[in-house]
Short mmCIF file of all heavy atoms in Angstrom, two decimals:
data_model
loop_
_atom_site.label_atom_id
_atom_site.label_comp_id
_atom_site.label_asym_id
_atom_site.label_seq_id
_atom_site.Cartn_x
_atom_site.Cartn_y
_atom_site.Cartn_z
N MET A 1 153.82 222.76 153.48
CA MET A 1 155.00 222.59 154.27
C MET A 1 156.16 222.31 153.33
O MET A 1 155.95 221.90 152.20
CB MET A 1 154.80 221.48 155.27
CG MET A 1 154.53 220.12 154.67
SD MET A 1 153.96 218.89 155.82
CE MET A 1 152.35 219.45 156.19
N ALA A 2 157.37 222.54 153.82
CA ALA A 2 158.56 222.32 153.01
C ALA A 2 159.71 221.90 153.90
O ALA A 2 159.71 222.18 155.10
CB ALA A 2 158.93 223.59 152.25
N ALA A 3 160.67 221.20 153.30
CA ALA A 3 161.87 220.79 154.03
C ALA A 3 163.05 220.88 153.09
O ALA A 3 162.97 220.52 151.92
CB ALA A 3 161.72 219.35 154.55
N VAL A 4 164.15 221.38 153.62
CA VAL A 4 165.37 221.52 152.85
C VAL A 4 165.99 220.14 152.61
O VAL A 4 165.86 219.24 153.44
CB VAL A 4 166.36 222.46 153.57
CG1 VAL A 4 166.87 221.87 154.86
CG2 VAL A 4 167.51 222.84 152.66
N VAL A 5 166.65 219.99 151.46
CA VAL A 5 167.44 218.78 151.19
C VAL A 5 168.85 219.11 151.65
O VAL A 5 169.55 219.90 151.01
CB VAL A 5 167.41 218.41 149.69
CG1 VAL A 5 168.26 217.17 149.44
CG2 VAL A 5 165.98 218.19 149.22
N PRO A 6 169.29 218.52 152.77
CA PRO A 6 170.54 218.94 153.40
C PRO A 6 171.79 218.28 152.81
O PRO A 6 172.32 217.32 153.34
CB PRO A 6 170.33 218.51 154.85
CG PRO A 6 169.49 217.29 154.75
CD PRO A 6 168.59 217.53 153.57
N TYR A 7 172.24 218.81 151.69
CA TYR A 7 173.49 218.29 151.13
C TYR A 7 174.42 219.41 150.66
O TYR A 7 175.57 219.13 150.33
CB TYR A 7 173.22 217.30 149.99
CG TYR A 7 172.74 217.92 148.70
CD1 TYR A 7 173.58 218.04 147.61
CD2 TYR A 7 171.44 218.39 148.58
CE1 TYR A 7 173.15 218.60 146.42
CE2 TYR A 7 170.99 218.94 147.40
CZ TYR A 7 171.85 219.05 146.33
OH TYR A 7 171.40 219.62 145.16
N ARG A 8 173.96 220.63 150.64
CA ARG A 8 174.79 221.77 150.28
C ARG A 8 174.70 222.83 151.37
O ARG A 8 173.69 222.97 152.02
CB ARG A 8 174.30 222.42 148.98
CG ARG A 8 174.57 221.62 147.77
CD ARG A 8 174.19 222.41 146.54
NE ARG A 8 174.58 221.63 145.36
CZ ARG A 8 174.13 221.86 144.17
NH1 ARG A 8 173.28 222.83 143.95
NH2 ARG A 8 174.51 221.12 143.16
N ILE A 9 175.80 223.56 151.50
CA ILE A 9 175.81 224.70 152.43
C ILE A 9 176.25 225.90 151.60
O ILE A 9 177.36 225.89 151.07
CB ILE A 9 176.78 224.46 153.60
CG1 ILE A 9 176.33 223.25 154.39
CG2 ILE A 9 176.86 225.69 154.48
CD1 ILE A 9 177.31 222.81 155.47
N PRO A 10 175.45 226.91 151.44
CA PRO A 10 174.09 227.03 151.96
C PRO A 10 173.13 226.15 151.16
O PRO A 10 173.41 225.77 150.02
CB PRO A 10 173.75 228.51 151.78
CG PRO A 10 174.59 228.93 150.60
CD PRO A 10 175.85 228.10 150.70
N ALA A 11 172.01 225.84 151.76
CA ALA A 11 171.00 224.99 151.13
C ALA A 11 170.49 225.65 149.85
O ALA A 11 170.28 226.85 149.80
CB ALA A 11 169.86 224.74 152.09
N THR A 12 170.32 224.82 148.81
CA THR A 12 169.83 225.34 147.54
C THR A 12 168.59 224.62 147.05
O THR A 12 167.99 225.04 146.07
CB THR A 12 170.92 225.23 146.45
OG1 THR A 12 171.28 223.85 146.31
CG2 THR A 12 172.13 226.06 146.79
N ASP A 13 168.22 223.53 147.71
CA ASP A 13 167.11 222.71 147.23
C ASP A 13 166.19 222.33 148.38
O ASP A 13 166.63 222.20 149.53
CB ASP A 13 167.64 221.43 146.58
CG ASP A 13 168.57 221.73 145.42
OD1 ASP A 13 168.07 222.20 144.39
OD2 ASP A 13 169.78 221.52 145.57
N ALA A 14 164.93 222.14 148.03
CA ALA A 14 163.94 221.73 149.03
C ALA A 14 162.83 220.95 148.34
O ALA A 14 162.71 220.96 147.11
CB ALA A 14 163.35 222.95 149.73
N MET A 15 162.05 220.26 149.14
CA MET A 15 160.85 219.59 148.66
C MET A 15 159.68 220.16 149.45
O MET A 15 159.84 220.57 150.59
CB MET A 15 160.95 218.08 148.91
CG MET A 15 162.02 217.40 148.11
SD MET A 15 162.19 215.64 148.51
CE MET A 15 160.72 214.98 147.78
N SER A 16 158.52 220.16 148.81
CA SER A 16 157.35 220.69 149.51
C SER A 16 156.14 219.79 149.28
O SER A 16 156.13 218.96 148.37
CB SER A 16 157.03 222.11 149.05
OG SER A 16 156.65 222.11 147.69
N CYS A 17 155.15 220.00 150.11
CA CYS A 17 153.91 219.25 150.04
C CYS A 17 152.78 220.22 150.38
O CYS A 17 152.88 220.97 151.35
CB CYS A 17 153.96 218.09 151.03
SG CYS A 17 152.40 217.20 151.17
N SER A 18 151.75 220.20 149.61
CA SER A 18 150.60 221.05 149.93
C SER A 18 149.35 220.20 149.95
O SER A 18 149.27 219.16 149.30
CB SER A 18 150.48 222.19 148.92
OG SER A 18 150.31 221.67 147.62
N MET A 19 148.39 220.64 150.73
CA MET A 19 147.11 219.95 150.84
C MET A 19 146.06 220.95 151.29
O MET A 19 146.40 221.96 151.90
CB MET A 19 147.23 218.77 151.80
CG MET A 19 147.74 219.12 153.18
SD MET A 19 148.16 217.68 154.16
CE MET A 19 149.92 217.61 153.91
N PRO A 20 144.81 220.70 150.97
CA PRO A 20 143.76 221.63 151.36
C PRO A 20 143.61 221.68 152.88
O PRO A 20 143.36 220.66 153.52
CB PRO A 20 142.49 221.07 150.71
CG PRO A 20 142.91 219.94 149.85
CD PRO A 20 144.31 219.58 150.19
N ALA A 21 143.77 222.85 153.44
CA ALA A 21 143.71 223.01 154.91
C ALA A 21 142.38 222.55 155.48
O ALA A 21 142.33 222.01 156.59
CB ALA A 21 143.98 224.46 155.28
N ALA A 22 141.31 222.71 154.75
CA ALA A 22 139.99 222.33 155.25
C ALA A 22 139.82 220.82 155.35
O ALA A 22 138.96 220.33 156.07
CB ALA A 22 138.91 222.91 154.34
N ASP A 23 140.64 220.06 154.62
CA ASP A 23 140.48 218.61 154.58
C ASP A 23 141.51 217.84 155.39
O ASP A 23 141.50 216.61 155.38
CB ASP A 23 140.57 218.12 153.13
CG ASP A 23 139.45 218.67 152.26
OD1 ASP A 23 138.42 219.08 152.82
OD2 ASP A 23 139.62 218.70 151.04
N VAL A 24 142.41 218.54 156.06
CA VAL A 24 143.50 217.85 156.75
C VAL A 24 143.43 218.13 158.25
O VAL A 24 143.12 219.22 158.68
CB VAL A 24 144.85 218.29 156.14
CG1 VAL A 24 145.37 219.56 156.71
CG2 VAL A 24 145.88 217.22 156.23
N THR A 25 143.68 217.08 159.04
CA THR A 25 143.71 217.26 160.49
C THR A 25 145.12 217.63 160.92
O THR A 25 146.08 217.48 160.15
CB THR A 25 143.30 215.96 161.21
OG1 THR A 25 144.29 214.96 160.96
CG2 THR A 25 141.93 215.46 160.75
N ASP A 26 145.26 218.07 162.15
CA ASP A 26 146.59 218.37 162.67
C ASP A 26 147.47 217.13 162.66
O ASP A 26 148.66 217.20 162.33
CB ASP A 26 146.50 218.91 164.11
CG ASP A 26 145.97 220.33 164.16
OD1 ASP A 26 145.92 221.00 163.10
OD2 ASP A 26 145.60 220.78 165.26
N ASP A 27 146.89 215.96 163.00
CA ASP A 27 147.66 214.72 162.97
C ASP A 27 148.13 214.38 161.56
O ASP A 27 149.26 213.93 161.36
CB ASP A 27 146.84 213.56 163.53
CG ASP A 27 146.67 213.62 165.04
OD1 ASP A 27 147.48 214.32 165.71
OD2 ASP A 27 145.74 212.98 165.55
N ASP A 28 147.26 214.58 160.58
CA ASP A 28 147.64 214.33 159.18
C ASP A 28 148.80 215.23 158.77
O ASP A 28 149.76 214.77 158.15
CB ASP A 28 146.47 214.60 158.23
CG ASP A 28 145.34 213.61 158.37
OD1 ASP A 28 145.57 212.48 158.84
OD2 ASP A 28 144.20 213.98 157.99
N ALA A 29 148.71 216.50 159.12
CA ALA A 29 149.76 217.46 158.77
C ALA A 29 151.07 217.09 159.46
O ALA A 29 152.14 217.16 158.85
CB ALA A 29 149.33 218.88 159.14
N TYR A 30 150.99 216.69 160.71
CA TYR A 30 152.19 216.29 161.45
C TYR A 30 152.85 215.08 160.79
O TYR A 30 154.06 215.06 160.58
CB TYR A 30 151.82 216.00 162.90
CG TYR A 30 153.01 215.64 163.75
CD1 TYR A 30 153.83 216.62 164.29
CD2 TYR A 30 153.33 214.31 164.02
CE1 TYR A 30 154.93 216.31 165.05
CE2 TYR A 30 154.43 213.98 164.79
CZ TYR A 30 155.22 214.98 165.30
OH TYR A 30 156.31 214.65 166.06
N ARG A 31 152.05 214.07 160.45
CA ARG A 31 152.60 212.86 159.80
C ARG A 31 153.21 213.20 158.45
O ARG A 31 154.29 212.70 158.09
CB ARG A 31 151.52 211.81 159.66
CG ARG A 31 151.18 211.14 160.96
CD ARG A 31 150.40 209.85 160.77
NE ARG A 31 149.27 210.00 159.87
CZ ARG A 31 148.01 210.15 160.25
NH1 ARG A 31 147.70 210.17 161.52
NH2 ARG A 31 147.05 210.27 159.36
N ALA A 32 152.55 214.05 157.68
CA ALA A 32 153.09 214.44 156.37
C ALA A 32 154.40 215.20 156.55
O ALA A 32 155.36 214.99 155.79
CB ALA A 32 152.07 215.30 155.62
N GLY A 33 154.48 216.07 157.56
CA GLY A 33 155.71 216.81 157.82
C GLY A 33 156.85 215.89 158.22
O GLY A 33 157.99 216.07 157.76
N GLU A 34 156.56 214.89 159.05
CA GLU A 34 157.60 213.93 159.43
C GLU A 34 158.07 213.13 158.23
O GLU A 34 159.26 212.88 158.07
CB GLU A 34 157.08 213.00 160.52
CG GLU A 34 157.04 213.64 161.88
CD GLU A 34 156.89 212.61 162.98
OE1 GLU A 34 156.21 211.58 162.77
OE2 GLU A 34 157.47 212.84 164.05
N LEU A 35 157.15 212.71 157.40
CA LEU A 35 157.51 211.96 156.20
C LEU A 35 158.36 212.81 155.27
O LEU A 35 159.38 212.35 154.74
CB LEU A 35 156.26 211.47 155.48
CG LEU A 35 156.47 210.68 154.20
CD1 LEU A 35 157.29 209.43 154.46
CD2 LEU A 35 155.13 210.33 153.58
N LEU A 36 157.97 214.05 155.08
CA LEU A 36 158.73 214.97 154.22
C LEU A 36 160.13 215.20 154.79
O LEU A 36 161.12 215.14 154.05
CB LEU A 36 157.98 216.29 154.08
CG LEU A 36 158.55 217.32 153.13
CD1 LEU A 36 158.65 216.77 151.71
CD2 LEU A 36 157.69 218.57 153.15
N ALA A 37 160.24 215.43 156.08
CA ALA A 37 161.55 215.66 156.70
C ALA A 37 162.44 214.42 156.58
O ALA A 37 163.63 214.52 156.27
CB ALA A 37 161.38 216.06 158.16
N GLY A 38 161.87 213.24 156.81
CA GLY A 38 162.65 212.01 156.69
C GLY A 38 163.10 211.75 155.27
O GLY A 38 164.23 211.31 155.02
N THR A 39 162.23 212.04 154.32
CA THR A 39 162.56 211.83 152.90
C THR A 39 163.68 212.76 152.45
O THR A 39 164.62 212.33 151.78
CB THR A 39 161.31 212.04 152.04
OG1 THR A 39 160.31 211.10 152.45
CG2 THR A 39 161.61 211.85 150.57
N THR A 40 163.61 214.03 152.84
CA THR A 40 164.66 214.96 152.42
C THR A 40 165.98 214.64 153.12
O THR A 40 167.04 214.78 152.51
CB THR A 40 164.26 216.43 152.68
OG1 THR A 40 163.93 216.59 154.06
CG2 THR A 40 163.10 216.85 151.81
N ALA A 41 165.93 214.19 154.36
CA ALA A 41 167.16 213.81 155.07
C ALA A 41 167.84 212.63 154.36
O ALA A 41 169.05 212.63 154.14
CB ALA A 41 166.86 213.47 156.52
N GLU A 42 167.05 211.63 153.99
CA GLU A 42 167.60 210.46 153.29
C GLU A 42 168.14 210.86 151.92
O GLU A 42 169.21 210.40 151.51
CB GLU A 42 166.55 209.37 153.15
CG GLU A 42 167.00 208.16 152.38
CD GLU A 42 168.21 207.44 152.97
OE1 GLU A 42 168.44 207.54 154.20
OE2 GLU A 42 168.93 206.76 152.22
N LEU A 43 167.43 211.70 151.21
CA LEU A 43 167.92 212.16 149.91
C LEU A 43 169.24 212.91 150.07
O LEU A 43 170.18 212.70 149.29
CB LEU A 43 166.87 213.05 149.24
CG LEU A 43 167.25 213.64 147.89
CD1 LEU A 43 167.61 212.55 146.88
CD2 LEU A 43 166.10 214.50 147.36
N GLY A 44 169.34 213.76 151.07
CA GLY A 44 170.58 214.48 151.34
C GLY A 44 171.74 213.53 151.61
O GLY A 44 172.85 213.71 151.09
N ARG A 45 171.49 212.49 152.41
CA ARG A 45 172.54 211.49 152.69
C ARG A 45 173.00 210.80 151.41
O ARG A 45 174.19 210.62 151.17
CB ARG A 45 172.03 210.45 153.69
CG ARG A 45 172.03 210.92 155.12
CD ARG A 45 171.76 209.79 156.11
NE ARG A 45 170.40 209.29 156.06
CZ ARG A 45 169.37 209.84 156.68
NH1 ARG A 45 169.54 210.91 157.42
NH2 ARG A 45 168.17 209.31 156.59
N ARG A 46 172.04 210.41 150.59
CA ARG A 46 172.39 209.73 149.33
C ARG A 46 173.19 210.64 148.40
O ARG A 46 174.15 210.20 147.75
CB ARG A 46 171.13 209.24 148.63
CG ARG A 46 170.49 208.08 149.33
CD ARG A 46 169.24 207.66 148.62
NE ARG A 46 168.60 206.56 149.32
CZ ARG A 46 167.88 205.63 148.72
NH1 ARG A 46 167.68 205.69 147.42
NH2 ARG A 46 167.32 204.67 149.42
N LEU A 47 172.79 211.90 148.29
CA LEU A 47 173.51 212.83 147.43
C LEU A 47 174.93 213.06 147.94
O LEU A 47 175.88 213.10 147.13
CB LEU A 47 172.76 214.15 147.34
CG LEU A 47 171.43 214.10 146.57
CD1 LEU A 47 170.64 215.39 146.78
CD2 LEU A 47 171.66 213.83 145.10
N ARG A 48 175.11 213.21 149.25
CA ARG A 48 176.47 213.39 149.79
C ARG A 48 177.32 212.15 149.56
O ARG A 48 178.48 212.27 149.16
CB ARG A 48 176.40 213.73 151.28
CG ARG A 48 175.93 215.15 151.55
CD ARG A 48 176.12 215.56 153.00
NE ARG A 48 175.50 214.63 153.94
CZ ARG A 48 174.24 214.68 154.35
NH1 ARG A 48 173.44 215.62 153.91
NH2 ARG A 48 173.77 213.79 155.22
N ARG A 49 176.76 210.95 149.77
CA ARG A 49 177.52 209.71 149.52
C ARG A 49 177.92 209.59 148.06
O ARG A 49 178.99 209.05 147.74
CB ARG A 49 176.69 208.49 149.92
CG ARG A 49 176.79 208.13 151.37
CD ARG A 49 176.29 206.73 151.64
NE ARG A 49 174.94 206.51 151.18
CZ ARG A 49 173.85 206.54 151.95
NH1 ARG A 49 173.95 206.75 153.24
NH2 ARG A 49 172.67 206.32 151.44
N ALA A 50 177.08 210.08 147.16
CA ALA A 50 177.38 210.01 145.72
C ALA A 50 178.37 211.11 145.31
O ALA A 50 178.77 211.17 144.15
CB ALA A 50 176.10 210.13 144.92
N GLY A 51 178.73 211.98 146.24
CA GLY A 51 179.69 213.04 145.94
C GLY A 51 179.07 214.25 145.27
O GLY A 51 179.78 215.09 144.74
N ILE A 52 177.76 214.33 145.29
CA ILE A 52 177.08 215.47 144.67
C ILE A 52 177.01 216.58 145.70
O ILE A 52 176.49 216.42 146.77
CB ILE A 52 175.67 215.07 144.18
CG1 ILE A 52 175.81 213.98 143.13
CG2 ILE A 52 174.92 216.28 143.65
CD1 ILE A 52 174.51 213.34 142.72
N ARG A 53 177.58 217.71 145.35
CA ARG A 53 177.63 218.83 146.29
C ARG A 53 177.11 220.07 145.64
O ARG A 53 177.40 220.67 144.81
CB ARG A 53 179.05 219.05 146.80
CG ARG A 53 179.58 217.82 147.46
CD ARG A 53 179.70 218.04 148.93
NE ARG A 53 180.22 216.82 149.52
CZ ARG A 53 179.72 216.27 150.58
NH1 ARG A 53 178.72 216.79 151.20
NH2 ARG A 53 180.22 215.18 151.07
#
């Protein structure tokens, strides 16, 4: 899974996470996706506040 770091338009950066499909449940994947989305959103906020565009 991957999520864009939302601080530039158009987006130029993203973070991703991979895991073995055979070892992960749907709930695990959902939680990892939420964590990844929250992390990239916070990183984007910090970069915009710092004036990095």
Side-chain angles (χ1 to χ4, degrees):
M1 61 192 71
V4 67
V5 179
Y7 73 106
R8 288 186 175 164
I9 298 173
T12 59
D13 302 290
M15 294 176 72
S16 65
C17 174
S18 60
M19 55 191 98
D23 297 339
V24 84
T25 66
D26 287 346
D27 287 340
D28 292 337
Y30 182 81
R31 286 195 311 259
E34 283 195 326
L35 180 60
L36 185 59
T39 300
T40 56
E42 177 60 25
L43 179 57
R45 282 190 290 277
R46 289 179 182 210
L47 290 169
R48 286 191 306 273
R49 274 196 305 260
I52 299 171
R53 302 250 180 227

